[in-house]
Amino acid sequence: MTASTIGLIVEILLFGLGLYLYLFARGLISFGTPEARQRAEAFRKDNATWMRLLGLALAAIMGLNVFFHLREMLG
C-alpha cells in the first residue's frame, strides 16, 4: 500500500467522522438503550452549535481533499 492510498483512506475516514458528527448534532442519529439515548440527547442539546459547525467544516474540507486526491490519482 502506498502512502497516497493510506492518505486517501485517512481522508475518507475523517470525512465520515465529520458527517457523523454533523448528523449527531442535528439529532438524526440515535443509538443505545433509553438511558444512554437520554444522556446523548442532553449532551447534544448543550453542544449542538459547535458540533454542527465542526462536523460541517470537517466534512466539507475532507470532501474536497478526497475529490482532489482522487483527481490526482486518476489523472
Side-chain angles (χ1 to χ4, degrees), residues 54-75:
L54 180 67
L56 191 59
L58 185 60
I61 291 168
M62 286 297 118
L64 284 173
N65 281 344
V66 167
F67 172 75
F68 288 125
H69 202 127
L70 285 173
R71 197 172 97 181
E72 179 187 323
M73 288 175 72
L74 299 175

Side-chain angles (χ1 to χ4, degrees), residues 2-75:
T2 65
S4 182
T5 306
I6 293 172
L8 181 62
I9 291 170
V10 169
E11 289 171 357
I12 291 171
L13 289 174
L14 287 172
F15 173 76
L17 178 67
L19 186 63
Y20 178 80
L21 185 62
Y22 177 74
L23 292 176
F24 176 74
R26 293 282 317 263
L28 299 174
I29 296 178
S30 61
F31 53 88
T33 64
E35 180 182 304
R37 205 173 297 136
Q38 197 173 38
R39 285 183 305 181
E41 184 65 23
F43 177 79
R44 186 188 70 76
K45 284 183 181 178
D46 290 341
N47 301 298
T49 302
W50 70 264
M51 284 193 311
R52 191 176 319 127
L53 291 173
L54 180 67
L56 191 59
L58 185 60
I61 291 168
M62 286 297 118
L64 284 173
N65 281 344
V66 167
F67 172 75
F68 288 125
H69 202 127
L70 285 173
R71 197 172 97 181
E72 179 187 323
M73 288 175 72
L74 299 175

